[in-house]
Amino acid sequence: MQALANDVEIRGVYKRIGRNVILDGIDLEVKQGELLTLLGPSGCGKTSTLNVIAGFLDIDQGDVFIKGRRVNDIPAYKRDLGMVFQTYSLFPHMTVYENLDFGLSLRKVPKDEKKRRIQKALELVKMTGLEDRYPRELSGGQRQRVAIARALVVQPKLLLLDEPLSNLDAKLRHELRAEIKRLQKEVGVTTIFVTHDQEEALSMSDRIVVMNKGKIEQVGTPTEIYIHPRTEFVFQFIGKSNQLQGRVKSIDSRMISVELEDSGQVLVEAENVMGSDRTCTKGDAVKLYIRPEKLMIQPVENTNPNYNSHTATIVQMNYLGSAWEIEVSLLGKRMQVLHPSIEAGWTIGTEVMVGWNPSDMMIVKK
Amino acid sequence: MEPVRYDDRQEIVSLRLQPAVSGKRRNLKKYLYAVLLLLPLLLFIIGFFVIPMLYILYLSFIDTEGPGGTNATYSISNYGRFFTDPYYLHSLWLTIKVSLYTVIVSLLLGYPVALTMAKCSPRVRGLLTLLVASPLLISIVVRNFGWYLLLLPNGTVNQLLIGLGITESPLKLLFSEAGVVIGLSNAYLPFMILSIATSLYNIDPSLEKAAAILGASPFRSFISITLPLSLPGIVSGMVLVFSMSMSAYVTPALMGGANVPVLPVVAYDQIINLLRWTYGSAVSYVLLGITLAIVTIFTRMMEKGRYREVFR
Ligand SMILES: Nc1ncnc2c1ncn2[C@@H]1O[C@H](COP(=O)(O)OP(=O)(O)OP(=O)(O)O)[C@@H](O)[C@H]1O
Ligand SMILES: [Mg+2]
């Protein structure tokens, strides 16, 4: 049997439609009260995973447990979950109140309690006073709030959210992002959130599940995913990156030394090997990755012996407000650097020193 | 995704003409252009519909049987006669009854078909649409004679019913109200199906999912979500079938004969066989008026009713 702390357990779920393998051996545990995000590119199977949990998609193999109960053969309408859809999916012929009432009436909740719970749910999403409006008469953000309230008012075992913010403008998206997080903690409902927006995932989640092509690439907290990506895919998907190529020259327990393909040599921490077996040996062709904000840019005369340091030439400079995005030519490659400030006199063509900590560079066998 | 608009349907019923482009001054050029494009149709409708209709209206107010004999006087005596003669009142009632039955039968038969069409893949849907519309490809007379053969006292349907032991003696299917309803339902079912199907296509499929996850069984979800949201299609289908049934002539004449004298048959008889043009004209206008009244009251009731939001 499963541990009680897990609200959802998915084991070896496999699903094929026609020739497409949509879910290819998904194993997943969702802890009680957490906000778990399914993150991945379009078509990777996020919605499908959610639909399997909700009961909208039959699976070919595997098991799904919700609160310790195997639900493979239980239809969606008996699973007692809450779900918010990308298109809001409010019932257009019902008022806000009637939309919220729908699930409660099906559960035969007494009238007084229904009223109280609907009021409370509307308060929670700051929609009090709009009970008699029809969905047509609400803005996008308001509709989404009602949709969330409708899902929560039935006190579901799980809250499932399928890209609930993707139809909203950037500002509203930010606002609702914070609000969903607040709500989720306030209500304490175990939540699975689907998004293809890495920023959204990083800022909201307790844990992130990165998916690719029907498989799970990595599960971890936002910092784990960002700082210690386990696969190349995760590294590239979760943020911007610079890439170098080379061959492993020597390895010791702490450091890997890599001879770059054009010229030069860099050090990478031995822990930072990505890929399925997380090892590499001398002579392996490898790819190296580093994030723009991990590259430090300094005047030429400054060097740090513990760092990888190379001279580079500024190729382009963009001011972003909070930082400078500087493109440099380094070791024969174009590299992006994100740096909070620049020195006076730096301009295109200026020689600079670019350095980085070996612990910030990731390495993977080609 | 634009649902069937109400106004479109009312135009079908009342043949009201509305300019396609609003007449604001800055749109004048566009407006003129639209009028120009519509002109042939406009002339056609005026020449072959509006003028004859007005002429018939004029005829219906001429009294040729009053004290003046053949000297025509204007009066409402034709209408007075209609509403005081039990025969014609019965005929009116018969017309309404047969039309209502036809509406109900085609709704009950058509809804499941429309639902199936909405649920299946686009390819199958195309095929079904063709199949559903196929009765429209056959001449109404030919189609009625087909039914004629099937519904005869010793025809296929009766033989089947007797063979299955459902009835002992043949049912009177031909030259009866039942026969007329069968014929009319068959003829107008495609309009009902396509009208309902169109409104079903417009329902966001995620609404059913939303209902399910909130705990609604498929049946409950159908009753609370799909059915109300398909009301515009149901209403337009009902209105179409009803008004077409009210004015149907060929099918009642062939399938009902003298036993089912609906108003169009009566009007035809008055004008063609008895040469009572003026009375026949009045009968036609009563038919038109009653049909419009029923349709208008019905649609207004639906638009103002419990599910008025669906009609927005
Ligand atoms: N009914 C279906 N028939 C065939 N293939 C399907 C069907 N539904 C989904 N797929 C395929 O399954 C894969 C996963 O789809 P899914 O909707 O789960 O992706 P997703 O991660 O939610 O993507 P998005 O971010 O675009 O919503 C896709 O490649 C898609 O083409
Ligand atoms: Mg999706």
Side-chain angles (χ1 to χ4, degrees), chain A residues 17-18 20-23 40-51 57 86 162-163 194-196 211 214:
Chain A
I17 299 182
N20 277 347
V21 177
I22 287 167
L23 297 175
S42 189
C44 71
K46 306 180 296 288
T47 299
S48 303
T49 307
L50 213 60
N51 281 341
L57 191 64
Q86 193 171 349
D162 191 359
E163 307 209 20
V194 164
T195 182
H196 60 252
M211 294 185 66

Side-chain angles (χ1 to χ4, degrees), chain A residues 185-220:
Chain A
K185 291 298 166 227
E186 212 171 306
V187 179
V189 61
T190 309
T191 302
I192 304 176
F193 186 97
V194 164
T195 182
H196 60 252
D197 181 337
Q198 39 101 4
E199 203 184 300
E200 209 165 277
L202 289 171
S203 70
M204 291 179 69
S205 325
D206 293 320
R207 286 194 306 150
I208 297 174
V209 177
V210 184
M211 294 185 66
N212 184 29
K213 294 183 184 154
K215 285 190 172 139
I216 291 178
E217 292 270 334
Q218 187 173 356
V219 183

Side-chain angles (χ1 to χ4, degrees), chain B residues 155-170:
Chain B
T156 316
V157 172
N158 267 317
Q159 281 177 10
L160 200 71
L161 290 176
I162 293 169
L164 289 172
I166 294 170
T167 167
E168 273 175 26
S169 53

